[in-house]
Amino acid sequence: MRNTRQKDLILEIINSSYSHPSASEIHEKCLKKIPSISLGTVYRNLNLLVDLGLIRRIKMNDNIDRFDRNDEHVHFICTRCLRIVDIHDDFFKGDINIGNNRVMDYEINFKGICDKCLKKEGEI
């Protein structure tokens, strides 16, 4: 795998972000350091980084994928505002076994209504 300046920058942007950016948001940040980078280059590198297991793709209901660091955590996704909340819990750290099966990778997304939307609607 060849390291490129574009791929390194994209990985740096995702690993330093807690906002779960979309490809277009990543592209906007890349343009500040590499003004000639195309959105297509960003998409190609995102797909490669996902395939290599260096980042995670979060599929959203609005069909705009979001990207995240590949560390041990799961997500809560609000079905109203599409906010993504990271959930870090000891259950998701280290080796996970289900019966006699060792889990090598997982993708867990809890979906519901976030506290901000519930407050806005007067439900809490």
Side-chain angles (χ1 to χ4, degrees):
M1 173 184 69
R2 202 179 92 195
N3 278 339
T4 65
R5 184 172 167 221
Q6 293 94 339
K7 186 171 34 163
D8 291 344
L9 177 59
I10 291 166
L11 187 59
E12 176 187 321
I13 288 168
I14 293 167
N15 284 337
S16 64
S17 174
Y18 291 90
S19 66
H20 309 92
S22 67
S24 62
E25 291 168 336
I26 294 165
H27 180 240
E28 286 178 30
K29 289 182 180 184
C30 285
L31 286 171
K32 294 175 183 172
K33 293 196 176 180
I34 307 174
S36 62
I37 193 169
S38 71
L39 184 56
T41 297
V42 171
Y43 273 111
R44 279 190 298 281
N45 280 285
L46 287 169
N47 288 329
L48 176 64
L49 291 167
V50 168
D51 290 345
L52 293 171
L54 297 175
I55 63 171
R56 296 165 64 181
R57 179 188 319 268
I58 305 168
K59 296 277 190 188
M60 300 293 291
N61 289 345
D62 63 358
N63 294 320
I64 299 174
D65 293 344
R66 301 287 183 152
F67 298 90
D68 197 9
R69 301 171 312 286
N70 195 10
D71 60 10
E72 295 175 331
H73 70 281
V74 299
H75 297 108
F76 174 87
I77 301 172
C78 180
T79 57
R80 289 189 184 166
C81 69
L82 300 179
R83 182 169 70 118
I84 302 171
V85 179
D86 289 335
I87 301 170
H88 296 274
D89 191 293
D90 287 340
F91 173 79
F92 303 110
K93 298 198 184 315
D95 288 340
I96 301 172
N97 293 308
I98 299 174
N100 292 323
N101 306 297
R102 178 176 291 159
V103 175
M104 302 303 289
D105 191 20
Y106 59 87
E107 183 177 319
I108 300 172
N109 293 319
F110 297 99
K111 295 184 179 184
I113 303 169
C114 71
D115 58 343
K116 291 181 181 182
C117 286
L118 288 171
K119 285 178 188 173
K120 193 185 305 182
E121 300 295 321
E123 295 180 42
I124 60 170

